[in-house]
Amino acid sequence: MGFVDYTGQKEDNYTDVIEFAKAQQEEEKRRLEDARIGRWMAERFEDGYRYVGLSFHDLIRHIMLQYRQVKKLEDRLLLKQDEALPFNTDILWKDFCIATVTKQLSSFPINVDKRNTCYQTFLEKAFRLSNVTSAEEHYGNMRDNAAYRRYFDNCFDLASGKLFWKWIGHQNTKEDVLWIEFIDSCEKLSVLLGYYLYLGIRPNDSLWMENLDRDHKLYSAMKTDNSRMRVKKSDYSRMRNPLYEADVTELVSSAPAKKDEGSHTDMQEKSDEGNGMASSEKMESTEHQNSQLQESSDSVGQQIEPKRPLLDKNRFQQLIGERTLKSYIQACGLLIACNLPEEMNKLYRELLARIPVLQETIEKYKDVYKTDIDQFCNYYIPETLQLTAAYIEYLDVDIDRNIVQDTEREVLRALEKLLLAVNEKIDEVYSFASMDIKAKARVLDTMMSQDGYVDPIFKIR
């Protein structure tokens, strides 16, 4: 070995060589581990492989988008609730987010300070929740407050209470896939959170994957219960956060109250008798209330009515899955048909014009230059189209305008970069093609010169 001489003495570069060998070994180990995780994530959800190898910045952006998808589904499920609830749904949602984050944090060996920092980062920066329970307060209550700990176990533990899941899904029908979509989206969010933490910590074990595997089985069991209509109504009395129980009379859900005509009429009649109202006045009052109720119902219907042509999701996902430039051209057409904002529509029409040029250029000069477009077909283009599809869904749901505007800026930025990359790839192909043409021209000129066909001024008369 070159770094040990014939006397057995180590040469000066011995340590450097050993360090280099160790680094190479670690790099190979990491590469194999990433490949294993990629296969594992692909088993969890269809596009799981594309998250492997992303930077922290890109991954946290995907986490933010996935959280918004989960929140959107939760909002739609809340519209199906038809009864007054003895707890505040906003507090319950924040506690659900806390449970989701802390469950992933518990799978990694990190110190208290780093754990608390991750807790606040996910909830306040990625999820953008305000007035959320601090990490110190939450972990302190989980340690010292038995009622608080029991509340979290009853509501959010997938293996025991599951009250949150039963409450949000008990009105789901066998044919309605909304609750199933919510479960799948929650699982995907948990996987992305776990993978983000794995990249930052790089633990020596696979506990985080084992825990997510266990949760996957529990999620599957819940979906099986749904298919067999075994999802029962929750015990609401155990769904009150004990930190706010003193204010429970003030914690009224924004969900519309369940109509109970008999009991409401009895209460109204007693109130009317006490105030000495005449029978005709009572009838007018009842008619007025019914009119208001109808107007309110119409208003809700208008809010959830789609504002633009709906995206054909099944066809769109089918085209994305084909991973070809031709299929992406058709997918762009589906997005444009959804009446995109003016600037976004303009960029998509430019993209729709340039992708065929890229395809034609690659085919035309395939014998001259073997261009690599794997990144375009497997990540750049499908990722941009998926972001736009998510943005279109946000437009059709009554969510915070700031979220919609932030997403629109992200989509426009991605579109501009994609269009720039497509144009640069076209220029790259033509650049190599022109080099080939110049080389052929020089060869032709040389051969003709050798055969005596030269410029007349150089001829020997």
Side-chain angles (χ1 to χ4, degrees):
M1 299 176 69
F3 51 87
V4 179
D5 64 19
Y6 69 96
T7 64
Q9 296 297 316
K10 298 174 183 177
E11 295 182 355
D12 292 340
N13 64 342
Y14 178 85
T15 302
D16 294 337
V17 172
I18 291 297
E19 290 298 323
F20 176 78
K22 289 181 178 178
Q24 289 293 99
Q25 188 178 27
E26 286 297 319
E27 184 63 28
E28 179 63 11
K29 180 180 177 182
R30 179 171 295 190
R31 188 186 66 79
L32 293 174
E33 181 66 7
D34 286 345
R36 183 175 75 91
I37 292 173
R39 292 191 296 271
W40 175 82
M41 291 180 69
E43 292 175 359
R44 289 291 165 271
F45 35 91
E46 189 174 306
D47 59 346
Y49 70 92
R50 69 192 179 109
Y51 299 101
V52 177
L54 291 182
S55 65
F56 281 104
H57 175 77
D58 288 337
L59 189 56
I60 199 68
R61 183 166 59 84
H62 282 287
I63 289 173
M64 294 172 69
L65 290 173
Q66 187 61 31
Y67 167 77
R68 292 170 189 170
Q69 172 70 7
V70 173
K71 186 66 175 74
K72 180 193 70 174
L73 290 170
E74 187 257 1
D75 290 340
R76 291 172 62 187
L77 284 164
L78 277 182
L79 289 176
K80 301 175 70 174
Q81 299 292 334
D82 61 355
E83 57 187 329
L85 302 170
F87 52 83
N88 187 306
T89 55
D90 289 336
I91 291 176
L92 187 69
W93 176 254
K94 290 178 182 178
D95 289 340
F96 166 73
C97 293
I98 290 173
T100 300
V101 168
T102 55
K103 187 167 191 177
Q104 296 312 309
L105 287 170
S106 66
S107 298
F108 295 90
I110 53 178
N111 60 46
V112 173
D113 290 339
K114 191 170 185 179
R115 179 199 67 186
N116 292 352
T117 299
C118 291
Y119 173 102
Q120 299 295 152
T121 299
F122 283 135
L123 293 173
E124 296 179 356
K125 301 292 180 62
F127 297 176
R128 297 186 178 180
L129 296 174
S130 59
N131 300 321
V132 69
T133 306
S134 68
E136 293 80 1
E137 183 180 4
H138 171 73
Y139 283 107
N141 284 320
M142 288 296 286
R143 182 185 64 249
D144 304 325
N145 190 330
Y148 185 82
R149 186 167 58 250
R150 186 164 54 249
Y151 158 75
F152 266 82
D153 290 342
N154 287 337
C155 286
F156 311 114
D157 193 310
L158 291 170
S160 56
K162 298 185 287 189
L163 296 181
F164 169 81
W165 303 95
K166 293 177 181 178
W167 162 67
I168 206 166
H170 83 273
Q171 296 195 54
N172 190 68
T173 64
K174 186 175 181 179
E175 293 74 25
D176 191 350
V177 298
L178 189 60
W179 189 51
I180 302 299
E181 291 180 15
F182 178 76
I183 291 175
D184 290 340
S185 295
C186 289
E187 182 178 7
K188 184 173 182 179
L189 178 62
S190 295
V191 171
L192 292 179
L193 287 171
Y195 182 57
Y196 182 91
L197 291 168
Y198 162 79
L199 290 179
I201 299 168
R202 290 285 181 176
N204 294 323
D205 57 40
S206 300
L207 178 62
W208 69 283
M209 294 173 68
E210 294 170 6
N211 288 341
L212 285 167
D213 280 338
R214 183 194 62 186
D215 288 348
H216 177 71
K217 295 178 181 178
L218 295 170
Y219 283 125
S220 298
M222 280 200 296
K223 288 189 284 188
T224 299
D225 288 344
N226 171 78
S227 66
R228 298 175 181 175
M229 299 306 294
R230 295 193 307 203
V231 179
K232 305 300 181 183
K233 186 175 179 179
S234 296
D235 180 0
Y236 294 158
S237 65
R238 295 192 292 163
M239 296 179 65
R240 301 170 180 170
N241 187 322
L243 298 183
Y244 307 94
E245 187 152 8
D247 301 322
V248 71
T249 56
E250 299 175 12
L251 303 182
V252 179
S253 168
S254 59
K258 185 176 181 180
K259 291 181 248 181
D260 188 342
E261 296 177 358
S263 60
H264 175 76
T265 303
D266 292 342
M267 292 174 65
Q268 184 66 43
E269 287 178 354
K270 291 179 181 178
S271 175
D272 292 345
E273 289 172 2
N275 294 324
M277 290 182 64
S279 176
S280 61
E281 292 175 338
K282 287 188 288 184
M283 290 177 64
E284 290 176 1
S285 175
T286 302
E287 290 174 359
H288 177 66
Q289 291 171 353
N290 289 338
S291 175
Q292 287 182 323
L293 183 61
Q294 182 62 42
E295 290 176 3
S296 175
S297 176
D298 293 342
S299 175
V300 172
Q302 292 170 1
Q303 289 176 6
I304 64 175
E305 183 180 353
K307 302 174 183 178
R308 62 192 65 251
L310 292 176
L311 176 65
D312 186 345
K313 294 181 182 179
N314 292 334
R315 178 59 179 159
F316 178 77
Q317 293 299 336
Q318 179 185 356
L319 291 170
I320 293 294
E322 291 178 12
R323 306 285 178 184
T324 64
L325 292 178
K326 183 178 179 180
S327 67
Y328 292 143
I329 292 170
Q330 297 179 54
C332 286
L334 292 179
L335 294 174
I336 291 174
C338 294
N339 294 345
L340 298 172
E342 183 177 354
E343 185 177 359
M344 194 179 298
N345 183 70
K346 180 181 177 182
L347 288 171
Y348 259 108
R349 290 195 178 278
E350 289 183 33
L351 188 63
L352 200 57
R354 297 303 287 169
I355 292 180
V357 175
L358 174 61
Q359 185 177 27
E360 181 182 342
T361 304
I362 292 172
E363 182 65 26
K364 183 177 181 179
Y365 295 106
K366 63 182 180 181
D367 296 330
V368 176
Y369 178 56
K370 302 293 185 182
T371 183
D372 181 11
I373 59 169
D374 285 348
Q375 282 288 79
F376 282 84
C377 290
N378 294 327
Y379 184 66
Y380 296 157
I381 298 178
E383 180 67 11
T384 303
L385 301 189
Q386 293 281 20
L387 286 175
T388 309
Y391 167 74
I392 290 173
E393 290 188 18
Y394 294 164
L395 290 178
D396 296 331
V397 181
D398 188 17
I399 62 175
D400 192 303
R401 184 172 180 80
N402 292 330
I403 295 177
V404 175
Q405 290 176 341
D406 288 346
T407 308
E408 182 175 343
R409 284 192 290 270
E410 292 288 342
V411 173
L412 288 173
R413 190 179 299 114
L415 270 172
E416 290 169 352
K417 288 186 177 181
L418 176 59
L419 190 57
L420 179 65
V422 169
N423 287 329
E424 288 184 355
K425 180 61 73 172
I426 293 171
D427 291 343
E428 175 188 313
V429 176
Y430 273 103
S431 175
F432 275 88
S434 67
M435 291 171 59
D436 182 71
I437 292 172
K438 290 176 182 177
K440 289 180 177 179
R442 285 195 295 270
V443 170
L444 178 62
D445 180 69
T446 301
M447 293 182 66
M448 292 178 72
S449 297
Q450 290 173 350
D451 291 339
Y453 301 106
V454 296
D455 194 300
I457 64 174
F458 298 114
K459 276 191 173 184
I460 300 177
R461 303 287 179 181

